Amino acid sequence: LARAATLVGPRRVELREYPLPSLDGGGALLQVEVCALCGTDYAQFTGNYSRANQPSGVLVPGHEIVGTLLDGHPDLLRTWGVAEGDRVAVEPNIPCWSCPSCVTGDYVTCVTPRAYGFTPVDVPPALWGGYADTMFLSPRSILHRVPDGLDLRVASLFNVLANGFQWACNDAGLRYGQSVLVLGAGQRGLACITAARASGAGRIITTGLASDATRLEAARVLGADLAIVVDDCDTVEAVREATGGGGVDIAIDCTAGATRPAIDAIHCVATRGTVVLSGLKHGHGADGFPVDDVVTRQIHIRGGLSASFAAYGQALRFLAEQGSLLASYRTHELPLEEAERALQILGGELPDEHPIYVSLLVS
Ligand SMILES: [Zn+2]
Ligand SMILES: [Zn+2]
């Protein structure tokens, strides 16, 4: 039997047992070792997660997964280029591989997305998430071998850091010496700062609330030159002042919910600057969108969603070579039995905890 922390309803997590899947129809089994948690896990937990095409219902959450391959069809393992016993990092998407997005290599925008951590238990074989000691891997999965010698707890940051490389570097087109503004110093913001610093960014500025003091300190250690506390000043004015009035080359909005930072990002970039919007606003539009400013200053705006295959590789290489500093901000690591508590800590519900990176140490 496999044990899985199962989300049975809003704020209700139960440890349940499931029969181990048969691999007769293909696929593989993964022994989950570490599953990292992000804001999406918390939104699922509280019943506030909604994205088009994503089913809800009773499910095993967990989409930032590293583990060891237990078993798999030999042809499939050959196709993946892995062997039983290999340590792998699992991309969350399970693409269909036949829609226009998939066949052109853009599987992140697959029109019929299925994903680990988001698939209900009534879809056989139920074990579709990382909050489980054993999970099923669809033949359509995308795996990355974990570099030799890389601790799996450090490797578990591969997902968040892949977002950092994707948004701050690849999507933004970061070139050596360019200045970067990262709005929001949460998990994703810190990953963007790490990736930008590793990729030769010049000045890096970040923003956060006074209550984010722990994260703003982490941002400075990870490479931010300036952390603006938005409670006591105007972000746009502060960024202009810090850049001699010219603005930054690149601004990335990593904040969730509030739309103001997305507008601030536009006002903070230099003429012909690039804005990457990666924080979802739960359906809210932004009043005061400065259309004329975007036109006249020829600002480049793009959305950043998830990460590419290349970015996952960048993240794993970085973690293998110099991941220890980022991993020092893995503030909480809990066993599977305490998945609910891990989610509460992550969501800031426990006043004495100051979470940054939270994960389940499954086996
Ligand atoms: Zn996530
Ligand atoms: Zn597809």
Side-chain angles (χ1 to χ4, degrees):
L1 292 173
R3 289 183 323 141
T6 307
L7 185 65
V8 298
R11 309 193 67 93
R12 286 172 50 222
V13 178
E14 287 175 9
L15 203 61
R16 289 187 178 177
E17 291 186 327
Y18 298 85
L20 283 180
S22 144
L23 300 179
D24 292 346
L29 287 184
L30 183 77
Q31 179 184 343
V32 179
E33 312 240 6
V34 188
C35 184
L37 275 55
C38 75
T40 301
D41 292 78
Y42 186 70
Q44 276 184 310
F45 173 60
T46 54
N48 292 313
Y49 181 77
S50 61
R51 218 179 105 192
N53 299 338
Q54 292 287 9
S56 52
V58 176
L59 53 78
V60 181
H63 59 276
E64 304 192 1
I65 302 157
V66 291
T68 302
L69 279 169
L70 287 177
D71 193 7
H73 192 282
D75 290 344
L76 179 61
L77 298 185
R78 240 190 323 274
T79 304
W80 282 341
V82 296
E84 285 171 21
D86 277 0
R87 305 176 316 146
V88 294
V90 183
E91 289 197 26
N93 289 315
I94 310 173
C96 77
W97 296 120
S98 56
C99 75
S101 289
C102 283
V103 297
T104 53
D106 186 20
Y107 60 84
V108 170
T109 57
C110 176
V111 294
T112 53
R114 195 174 273 301
Y116 293 113
F118 300 90
T119 301
V121 293
D122 53 22
V123 178
L127 292 165
W128 295 104
Y131 292 13
D133 54 13
T134 312
M135 65 178 277
F136 178 70
L137 293 177
S138 159
R140 293 184 277 119
S141 305
I142 305 168
L143 309 184
H144 298 259
R145 283 189 56 160
V146 172
D148 291 340
L150 174 55
D151 186 298
L152 282 178
R153 288 174 300 181
V154 179
S156 72
L157 294 166
F158 82 99
N159 183 301
V160 66
L161 188 58
N163 289 155
F165 277 103
Q166 183 68 39
W167 303 340
C169 305
N170 306 351
D171 286 345
L174 173 66
R175 282 173 292 149
Y176 182 81
Q178 285 191 312
S179 53
V180 178
L181 168 67
V182 178
L183 293 132
Q187 290 185 344
R188 258 67 198 165
L190 294 175
C192 285
I193 291 165
T194 300
R197 181 49 73 224
S199 304
R203 197 121 198 263
I204 299 178
I205 303 172
T206 190
T207 67
L209 299 165
S211 55
D212 294 332
T214 311
R215 294 168 187 196
L216 290 176
E217 179 52 28
R220 284 191 201 92
V221 174
L222 290 169
D225 302 291
L226 173 66
I228 298 169
V229 178
V230 299
D231 310 48
D232 30 73
C233 68
D234 180 80
T235 303
V236 178
E237 264 173 36
V239 169
R240 288 209 179 126
E241 195 184 310
T243 54
V248 291
D249 296 304
I250 291 164
I252 307 142
D253 177 23
C254 293
T255 66
T259 56
R260 174 72 185 275
I263 301 297
D264 285 349
I266 295 168
H267 290 304
C268 286
V269 289
T271 294
R272 295 182 194 276
T274 298
V275 173
V276 178
L277 301 179
S278 358
L280 291 170
K281 309 303 183 188
H282 314 312
H284 299 299
D287 287 337
F289 185 88
V291 177
D292 292 353
D293 192 35
V294 171
V295 173
T296 55
R297 298 201 299 125
Q298 301 184 55
I299 291 163
H300 187 74
I301 302 177
R302 60 168 300 164
L305 172 72
S306 189
S308 64
F309 187 84
Y312 286 109
Q314 289 173 295
L316 282 164
R317 269 195 304 284
F318 175 90
L319 291 169
E321 286 162 10
Q322 46 185 318
S324 54
L325 185 60
L326 187 65
S328 70
Y329 293 105
R330 294 182 66 253
T331 53
H332 296 79
E333 184 179 84
L334 289 90
L336 189 58
E337 295 75 12
E338 293 180 41
E340 187 170 326
R341 182 176 158 79
L343 288 158
Q344 290 166 347
I345 290 170
L346 179 75
E349 297 181 9
L350 305 186
D352 294 334
E353 306 289 342
H354 300 285
I356 297 182
Y357 295 112
V358 178
S359 61
L360 297 178
L361 191 61
V362 179
S363 41

